[in-house]
Amino acid sequence: MTTIQVFDLQAVQKIRKGAVAAALLALVGLTMVSQSASGLDSPLHEGVEAVGLAAIVFAIVGRAWCSLYIGGRKKAEIVSRGPYSISRNPLYIFSFFGAFGVGAQSGSLTLAVLFTLASLAVFYLTVRREEAWLALTFGSDYAAYRARTPRFMPNFALWRDQAELSVRPSFFLTTIRDGLVFLLAIPLFEAIDLAQAEGWLRVLARLP
């Protein structure tokens, strides 16, 4: 029974990564044929990019913070301290900020919101499957945690922490590495901007 449960959780995580990759590719394709309505050199375009960069940095730091608590423990216990005391999925929340930041590198708020909505859809479906696995694996302990802790929106009044953490460096470094992938959006969208400015890519739509 345990082997099947572990396999199921790993399969869900693989599906999630594949769905995220597919959504990103589709949205990048949209970005290649669209442009921010304000223009590539406008203050608004640059401002949206700057806000997006801040969101990406926030996401990387936040995801790393969450990994200090959850790294290597997700399949072994219910983690309910630190960020996991106020939300059941804080790592995913920070990923939403990262998705917004990636989309914002296009200079368009519309695309930033579309990237965020795509990540919300993918992670919502993933979370529902993970919750089923956690309920099956941890029973009443998870039911109690689920009853008192919001799925996404943090409730800061529930904050609880612990004096010491046992940190697993490999998981922490893996989370940092995965988060740094968000930064690849900067050269990617700069290259798209350049290709559009040079006329190599045809702009079919202008988005706010």
Side-chain angles (χ1 to χ4, degrees), residues 2 59 89 133 149 155 185 206:
T2 301
N89 299 283
W133 181 87
T149 312
N155 181 352
R206 294 189 177 274

Side-chain angles (χ1 to χ4, degrees), residues 3 8 35 54 60 62 65-66 82-84 99 102 111 128 133-134 145 151 159 166 169 182 200 202 207:
T3 302
D8 286 346
Q35 193 177 94
I60 293 172
W65 176 48
C66 292
Y84 289 89
V102 168
L111 285 171
R128 292 190 63 180
W133 181 87
L134 290 166
Y145 173 63
R151 175 183 278 164
W159 175 264
S166 176
F182 289 127
W200 301 332
R202 184 181 178 186
L207 304 174

Side-chain angles (χ1 to χ4, degrees), residues 101-185:
V102 168
Q105 295 312 301
S106 67
S108 166
L109 284 175
T110 300
L111 285 171
V113 170
L114 286 176
F115 270 74
T116 307
L117 291 176
S119 69
L120 278 167
V122 170
F123 283 117
Y124 177 75
L125 295 175
T126 301
V127 163
R128 292 190 63 180
R129 295 195 176 199
E130 287 183 345
E131 286 176 346
W133 181 87
L134 290 166
L136 179 64
T137 304
F138 297 106
S140 60
D141 288 341
Y142 179 70
Y145 173 63
R146 181 175 180 173
R148 70 174 183 267
T149 312
R151 175 183 278 164
F152 287 119
M153 187 62 66
N155 181 352
F156 295 98
L158 298 175
W159 175 264
R160 292 186 298 171
D161 210 342
Q162 55 196 70
E164 295 182 357
L165 285 174
S166 176
V167 177
R168 303 185 184 184
S170 61
F171 288 95
F172 177 76
L173 293 174
T174 296
T175 304
I176 290 287
R177 181 201 65 197
D178 291 346
L180 290 175
V181 172
F182 289 127
L183 293 174
L184 294 177

